[in-house]
Amino acid sequence: MNNRILLGLDNGNKCIKTSEGYISEAGFIKSNNEPISTSNLLIYEGKFYSIGSSRLSVQMDKTVNQDAFILSLPAIADAINKVGVEGDVDVILGVGLPIVNYGTLKKKFREYFLRRDIKFNFNKKDYAINIVDCRTYPQGYSALITVFNSYRNLLCNVIDIGGYTIDFFKVENGIIDVSSCYSLPNGIITLIANIQQELLKTNIRLTETQIQEIITGKEPVLFEADIKEVIKVMSEEYVENILAKIQEYGFEFHNPTVFTGGGSIMLQDYIEKSNRVKYTDFLDQFANAKGFKILLEQELRR
């Protein structure tokens, strides 16, 4: 009998994250020949993939190509290593979609991952797996599941600031208000791109990682104070604009607001300083993936 693992897998447009704490940039460089660096190197079907070295373009429907599947393999390898199983492994995945297109894409996204006899090599170790089952869950709400008992008797807002989208909705007494589910196409990637464009006006070229570090309060010694000020001002404006837009959809910020997603963590200081929001709770960047696994375990017990 094959070994079996359950894994929550968050296929973000910016990062891939799992319930077991794995995180990687959502991208790779593909090559027909082995690259010079073998760090984070995936070999699959005769091709070489340097994982995490370059973020791929945003994809709203991730089933249109193999990219999301390729990026899932190192995440699965990490989970197998942490459990310590050997040989052929049966994998059951819990994955997620934004609430606004959950209903239309959930069946398609589930079937996308169902495959058998998958053989690959990651970081010089061979793996043989079967993805025998996959269940799809709504993002944001899955993150809330990790702190469900704190909000089961309340009306709260949930705001998931992801790479490309900002998804938000209301939950009352543990039940999603389906009429309050909205999505905006201006996640944290758009803020970073706007900052890059603004800095290019003065011939300054910063990478996404450099901008992220400055947003989160790290102090890179190579950059002048005025560069950091530009990033600070644009981040403040971004937060105020998205909170104002969410209020236009009828959200009351006197109610508790739960923030999740990597963008929320990155912008936490700016959100907490805003006069618009009152009580806030920030879930860690793995909350969606952890929630997928909790819901998966609950579903399989039935």
Side-chain angles (χ1 to χ4, degrees):
M1 181 177 177
N2 289 348
N3 296 300
R4 189 182 83 159
I5 65 166
L6 276 61
L7 181 66
L9 178 65
D10 184 357
N11 303 89
N13 282 302
K14 190 169 192 324
C15 290
I16 307 299
K17 291 162 279 193
T18 72
S19 52
E20 315 312 302
Y22 170 89
I23 184 169
S24 171
E25 194 80 6
F28 53 74
I29 295 174
K30 180 180 178 181
S31 174
N32 292 323
N33 302 300
E34 185 171 342
I36 295 173
S37 173
T38 58
S39 176
N40 292 324
L41 181 64
L42 170 73
I43 306 172
Y44 176 65
E45 294 187 335
K47 303 295 183 183
F48 298 86
Y49 300 86
S50 298
I51 300 296
S53 53
S54 176
R55 183 177 61 78
L56 297 173
S57 300
V58 170
Q59 297 169 355
M60 296 309 294
D61 181 356
K62 294 181 172 62
T63 67
V64 298
N65 57 39
Q66 288 280 84
D67 293 354
F69 174 72
I70 293 297
L71 289 167
S72 75
L73 295 179
I76 293 170
D78 174 80
I80 290 172
N81 289 334
K82 285 175 176 170
V83 174
V85 296
E86 300 288 342
D88 289 358
V89 180
D90 285 347
V91 179
I92 301 178
L93 293 178
V95 298
L97 289 166
I99 280 183
V100 290
N101 55 17
Y102 172 73
T104 56
L105 290 177
K106 66 177 182 179
K107 184 175 183 291
K108 188 178 179 184
F109 201 43
R110 174 184 183 271
E111 293 174 348
Y112 170 82
F113 283 104
L114 296 177
R115 312 177 191 211
R116 289 183 175 270
D117 299 318
I118 304 162
K119 293 179 171 58
F120 64 97
N121 181 288
F122 183 63
N123 282 341
K124 301 182 178 179
K125 182 175 178 180
D126 292 327
Y127 298 87
I129 66 171
N130 303 294
I131 303 178
V132 297
D133 200 357
C134 178
R135 308 294 174 95
T136 311
Y137 304 105
Q139 292 172 192
Y141 182 74
S142 297
L144 186 67
I145 288 295
T146 63
V147 290
F148 184 77
N149 287 337
S150 298
Y151 297 97
R152 63 188 310 163
N153 299 316
L154 299 174
L155 170 61
C156 68
N157 311 309
V158 178
I159 301 176
D160 185 347
I161 305 178
Y164 183 66
T165 61
I166 301 170
D167 304 313
F168 50 101
F169 53 92
K170 300 172 189 175
V171 174
E172 186 167 9
N173 298 325
I175 300 172
I176 297 177
D177 177 357
V178 294
S179 67
S180 72
C181 298
Y182 301 99
S183 185
L184 301 175
N186 51 349
I188 196 69
I189 290 172
T190 62
L191 168 62
I192 292 171
N194 289 338
I195 290 171
Q196 287 175 321
Q197 289 300 309
E198 184 64 25
L199 294 176
L200 275 176
K201 294 176 183 178
T202 54
N203 204 31
I204 297 168
R205 292 171 173 80
L206 298 189
T207 66
E208 287 190 1
T209 301
Q210 288 172 319
I211 292 172
Q212 286 173 207
E213 288 180 346
I214 295 172
I215 291 174
T216 54
K218 295 181 181 177
E219 295 291 333
V221 295
L222 299 178
F223 303 119
E224 298 87 349
D226 56 342
I227 295 176
K228 290 186 281 188
E229 184 63 21
V230 168
I231 294 173
K232 175 177 176 290
V233 169
M234 292 187 70
S235 298
E236 288 173 344
E237 291 175 350
Y238 172 84
V239 166
E240 288 303 310
N241 287 338
I242 62 173
L243 293 178
K245 175 64 71 173
I246 290 169
Q247 282 184 308
E248 289 176 8
Y249 283 85
F251 282 68
E252 174 54 71
F253 285 138
H254 283 89
N255 295 320
T257 302
V258 179
F259 287 89
T260 185
S264 295
I265 299 302
M266 194 181 306
L267 294 165
Q268 181 171 349
D269 287 347
Y270 294 97
I271 294 169
E272 289 178 332
K273 290 175 183 174
S274 172
N275 292 325
R276 293 183 183 273
V277 289
K278 305 305 177 186
Y279 175 82
T280 59
D281 190 1
F282 290 82
L283 308 185
D284 71 46
Q285 61 186 335
F286 300 100
N288 269 316
K290 291 175 182 175
F292 300 156
K293 186 174 181 180
I294 291 170
L295 291 168
L296 180 63
E297 290 170 336
Q298 291 176 351
E299 192 169 358
L300 294 176
R301 281 198 297 266
R302 292 173 189 157

